[in-house]
Amino acid sequence: MIILKSKSEIELMRKSGAILRDLLLYLEEKVKPGVSTKKLDEYAYDYIKKHNAQPSFLGYGGFPASICTSIDEVVVHGIPSHRRLEEGMIIGVDVGAILNGWQSDAARTFLVGEVSEEKKRLVETTRESFFVGVEQFRAGSRLGDISHAIQEYNESRGFSIVRAMVGHGIGRQMHEDPQVPNFGRAGHGVRLETGLVLAIEPMVNAGTWQVTTLDDDWTCVTLDGQPSAHYENTVALTENGAEILTL
């Protein structure tokens, strides 16, 4: 069941989203060669708690950390550890927060020092495709319009879209209806209405779209070992159009 949000509820989600917006800017400054992903997780936990919110990932389905840290071929759900970042890596940082009962969810892929031109292009294309998708987030349009726009943008630039995982509705729960694929047909799917809040999150691979999950039952990696990028924001459809709550 799709739960539409009122103006006052979107305002509460806006406040939750602002914490993630500022947290991701803060973490971007911390992403440097030599820093462990566990240290990034500690920074995130402390920041979220300092702002009177709760890290929504911590303990969710048994996940052991406040953020997901996904390096290079890891698509999503990488578990923070003592592994240290190295020059030339890319790292996807995915994080959620709960403030006064309302969720927000966002992700960025950061460059670690100097990276290859191909990795830069992957990260930038993934980010750009999110905004291409948001342009289709309009009252009266179809969910498939968002999905198709994201898929077409990435595939036209030689990249592939992950199919095993998708975006989602969000509100009092982190994962609500509807699912938001990053692939699909324009003109299909549920009709978009004012009050709908979605976590739109392209997950884009340099090689094959196929992925597999490691033995920890969390870490999702590309099947061919090629790098992957992730970009996500919580977006509300208001009377004034789409508003990105985590940017």
Side-chain angles (χ1 to χ4, degrees):
M1 182 179 73
I2 294 173
I3 304 169
L4 301 178
K5 278 71 181 180
S6 66
K7 284 182 181 178
S8 60
E9 289 171 335
I10 290 173
E11 173 58 26
L12 291 168
M13 293 190 74
R14 193 178 283 124
K15 290 175 180 175
S16 177
I19 293 171
L20 291 193
R21 173 197 68 203
D22 295 341
L23 168 59
L24 285 163
L25 290 169
Y26 171 70
L27 290 178
E28 185 172 20
E29 297 174 356
K30 302 294 185 184
V31 169
K32 292 173 182 163
V35 175
S36 72
T37 54
K38 185 174 177 59
K39 189 65 179 175
L40 294 177
D41 183 62
E42 290 171 3
Y43 287 138
Y45 177 84
D46 291 344
Y47 189 97
I48 292 168
K49 296 294 281 188
K50 188 174 89 172
H51 288 81
N52 302 311
Q54 303 298 320
S56 51
F57 291 8
L58 184 59
Y60 184 86
F63 191 75
S66 299
I67 62 174
C68 301
T69 50
S70 304
I71 295 172
D72 286 345
E73 76 280 0
V74 180
V75 180
V76 285
H77 304 157
I79 299 172
S81 69
H82 293 292
R83 182 181 182 184
R84 295 184 181 276
L85 299 180
E86 298 174 19
E87 187 92 11
M89 289 176 167
I90 57 174
I91 178 170
V93 175
D94 191 359
V95 60
I98 311 166
L99 181 68
N100 299 320
W102 291 94
Q103 302 261 357
S104 54
D105 190 5
R108 307 282 184 267
T109 299
F110 299 127
L111 312 180
V112 184
E114 286 298 317
V115 308
S116 68
E117 287 303 316
E118 181 68 0
K119 282 184 176 177
K120 282 182 188 173
R121 199 169 73 85
L122 171 65
V123 171
E124 186 62 18
T125 301
T126 303
R127 188 188 74 83
E128 289 168 352
S129 74
F130 164 84
F131 292 99
V132 169
V134 169
E135 287 175 7
Q136 302 301 319
F137 193 15
R138 300 187 292 255
S141 294
R142 297 281 186 177
L143 187 64
D145 298 339
I146 299 173
S147 305
H148 177 75
I150 291 171
Q151 179 180 15
E152 185 177 55
Y153 191 85
N154 285 290
E155 290 182 351
S156 70
R157 285 154 179 79
F159 298 119
S160 64
I161 286 288
V162 173
R163 275 126 169 108
M165 282 154 301
V166 297
H168 49 92
I170 185 170
R172 287 193 175 276
Q173 303 299 320
M174 191 196 313
H175 294 107
E176 297 184 354
D177 290 334
Q179 290 194 334
V180 186
N182 298 301
F183 57 94
R185 295 168 61 193
H188 288 69
V190 299
R191 197 169 293 283
L192 306 175
E193 298 180 63
T194 299
L196 183 60
V197 184
L198 302 176
I200 300 173
E201 50 178 321
M203 289 160 270
V204 183
N205 296 346
T208 179
W209 57 268
Q210 294 175 298
V211 300
T212 188
T213 302
L214 300 184
D215 291 343
D216 61 18
D217 292 330
W218 282 108
T219 308
C220 174
V221 300
T222 59
L223 200 58
D224 59 5
Q226 293 293 305
S228 182
H230 183 201
Y231 188 88
E232 175 185 19
N233 284 296
T234 301
V235 191
L237 188 52
T238 73
E239 292 175 352
N240 298 319
E243 179 187 345
I244 302 170
L245 304 181
T246 47
L247 194 65

